[in-house]
Amino acid sequence: MLIGDFNAKVGSKQDEAETSVSYHGLGSRNERGDTLIDFAHHNKLYIMNTFFKKRNSKKWTWTSPDSKTKNAIDFIISNRKDVIKDVSVLNRFSIGSDHRIVRAEIKINIKKERTNMILKKNHKEWVAPENKDSYKECIASNLNYENTNTIDEIYENIKGATQTAIEKFCPKKVKEQKLNQRTELLMKQRRDMEDKSTQEYRTLNREIPKEIRKHRRQQNTEKIRNVIEKNQSLKVLRNSTMGRKEIQKIKDMHGNIVTHKQETYTLLNFSIKNFTHQNSRGSEPTSESYCRGAPRILRPVRPPGSPGPSAGPDVQQIRDLVVRV
């Protein structure tokens, strides 16, 4: 949890891709606010002041000496928004400062948190079983006690030998890149701009969320394809994909956007039935056989009596599978 004066104005949420802020901020956003939001987004943090609806008189945390300018620049930032139940600004105390006290109400299940800390997690082995002997031999060959006279020299000797073996037999896990190079380049270009009122700045504000959503869809599509090809379970699919848990809107065959939840599921079921029906008759599905937004990569259900493996539970429960597309 981060608490303090960040000297930044973050304003309110401007796009659905901004998960670190919500719609209840104060005022407009400045350059330092963009930097703070980018920092929170990369570190999976939430600026909790913006998540609770308050009157504007209960939002500002700093006032100018002439009391004409009031901004919210003191924030409570956390990586767990589920435990913070409220954030409020107190104006009943006179502390001799141009800032006001910011208070957060936190509710923690101590028993649950203690249990999670005590339980041992099932960590994977650092070294593959077939490399254990080579790992030990590498450490033994790099140890040299001839020129070690003090405890610090012995420690550095053991540390160097261990690090050499780790780099050779324990490759680091590559962290998934959540932002592609184009998105990072656009964000850097926006940060470097001095004039925030130009058309180019507004264009960047529209392009960056589009690139984030596009990259996220590509990642989820690739993960779904891998899960289907490996014939893995739905649990693996839910744990591997990211983003929204449900489809919020979809286009029908006439190009109209449908946002109602029940109508969205009806369109998906209709498109999937047409998709599988076309494949069961041996013909390729056309663009008119399913609405826009239905997945193109799903393996078709084989008709009864056809050669090849039968449809598994992933294909039978196709609605659950496409929920994360």
Side-chain angles (χ1 to χ4, degrees):
M1 184 176 292
L2 303 177
I3 303 174
D5 175 13
F6 293 88
N7 197 20
K9 298 192 296 182
V10 299
S12 299
K13 190 173 186 176
Q14 298 179 356
D15 191 87
E16 291 295 332
E18 295 180 349
T19 57
S20 300
V21 293
S22 188
Y23 297 100
H24 306 301
L26 178 66
S28 58
R29 187 178 303 173
N30 60 5
E31 183 178 359
R32 293 179 66 90
D34 287 329
T35 304
L36 181 60
I37 290 177
D38 292 342
F39 168 78
H41 177 76
H42 280 85
N43 294 277
K44 298 181 180 180
L45 300 174
Y46 304 96
I47 304 176
M48 299 307 302
N49 302 52
T50 63
F51 282 83
F52 301 96
K53 187 176 181 180
K54 305 285 183 180
R55 291 180 295 177
N56 288 340
S57 60
K58 298 291 185 180
K59 293 181 180 180
W60 63 268
T61 63
W62 171 86
T63 181
S64 60
D66 57 1
S67 300
K68 293 183 179 180
T69 304
K70 298 178 181 180
N71 292 318
I73 59 176
D74 302 271
F75 301 108
I76 294 178
I77 304 176
S78 174
N79 63 335
R80 292 186 57 185
K81 60 181 180 180
D82 58 314
V83 300
I84 299 181
K85 303 304 179 182
D86 184 49
V87 174
S88 57
V89 178
L90 305 181
N91 58 356
R92 299 189 300 269
F93 299 93
S94 178
I95 57 177
S97 172
D98 53 357
H99 291 261
R100 296 201 295 181
I101 298 176
V102 183
R103 178 182 64 184
E105 179 183 344
I106 303 175
K107 186 176 181 180
I108 300 177
N109 189 335
I110 299 178
K111 183 177 180 180
K112 181 179 178 181
E113 296 294 334
R114 185 184 293 114
T115 303
N116 293 336
M117 293 176 61
I118 295 174
L119 290 178
K120 294 182 179 180
K121 296 183 179 180
N122 185 19
H123 295 287
K124 295 183 179 180
E125 295 185 358
W126 286 4
V127 185
E130 61 272 13
N131 294 332
K132 285 186 177 181
D133 294 336
S134 301
Y135 177 78
K136 295 178 182 178
E137 293 175 0
C138 182
I139 294 179
S141 62
N142 287 284
L143 289 175
N144 183 13
Y145 295 107
E146 295 180 357
N147 299 324
T148 54
N149 300 320
T150 63
I151 189 65
D152 293 333
E153 293 177 351
I154 296 175
Y155 168 76
E156 292 296 334
N157 186 16
I158 297 175
K159 179 181 176 182
T162 306
Q163 287 181 345
T164 303
I166 289 175
E167 292 175 358
K168 187 174 181 179
F169 296 100
C170 306
K172 293 183 179 180
K173 183 179 179 181
V174 180
K175 189 175 181 180
E176 184 180 19
Q177 191 71 19
K178 294 188 177 180
L179 297 177
N180 55 17
Q181 294 182 354
R182 173 172 169 76
T183 305
E184 293 179 349
L185 182 63
L186 292 175
M187 295 176 72
K188 182 179 183 303
Q189 183 179 352
R190 184 177 65 177
R191 287 194 299 267
D192 295 340
M193 294 183 64
E194 297 181 357
D195 189 2
K196 309 298 182 182
S197 60
T198 60
Q199 180 63 31
E200 184 180 0
Y201 184 80
R202 290 192 290 269
T203 303
L204 287 175
N205 283 337
R206 292 192 298 267
E207 289 295 328
I208 290 175
K210 290 181 181 178
E211 286 293 328
I212 293 175
R213 289 194 297 268
K214 180 180 177 181
H215 182 61
R216 183 180 297 173
R217 284 195 297 268
Q218 291 175 351
Q219 284 183 321
N220 286 344
T221 302
E222 185 64 28
K223 290 177 180 179
I224 293 173
R225 181 183 289 109
N226 293 335
V227 169
I228 294 176
E229 291 177 352
K230 295 178 182 179
N231 198 23
Q232 294 176 330
S233 64
L234 290 172
K235 183 177 180 180
V236 175
L237 177 64
R238 294 190 185 99
N239 293 336
S240 62
T241 54
M242 63 180 181
R244 294 172 178 168
K245 294 185 178 180
E246 293 185 356
I247 295 177
Q248 302 294 327
K249 57 185 178 180
I250 193 172
K251 285 187 178 181
D252 60 11
M253 292 178 291
H254 304 290
N256 301 322
I257 297 178
V258 178
T259 57
H260 191 270
K261 186 174 182 179
Q262 188 61 39
E263 295 180 2
T264 301
Y265 281 131
T266 303
L267 281 173
L268 280 174
N269 289 331
F270 175 75
S271 62
I272 293 169
K273 287 180 181 179
N274 285 343
F275 182 83
T276 55
H277 180 65
Q278 292 283 346
N279 282 273
S280 64
R281 295 189 300 178
S283 60
E284 292 294 331
T286 61
S287 59
E288 290 79 16
S289 62
Y290 46 82
C291 59
R292 294 182 63 185
R296 270 73 166 172
I297 64 172
L298 296 177
R299 184 181 300 168
V301 180
R302 295 179 180 271
S306 62
S310 60
D314 293 339
V315 181
Q316 294 172 359
Q317 301 180 21
I318 201 167
R319 176 190 294 182
D320 292 338
L321 191 144
V322 302
V323 160
R324 299 296 293 277
V325 174

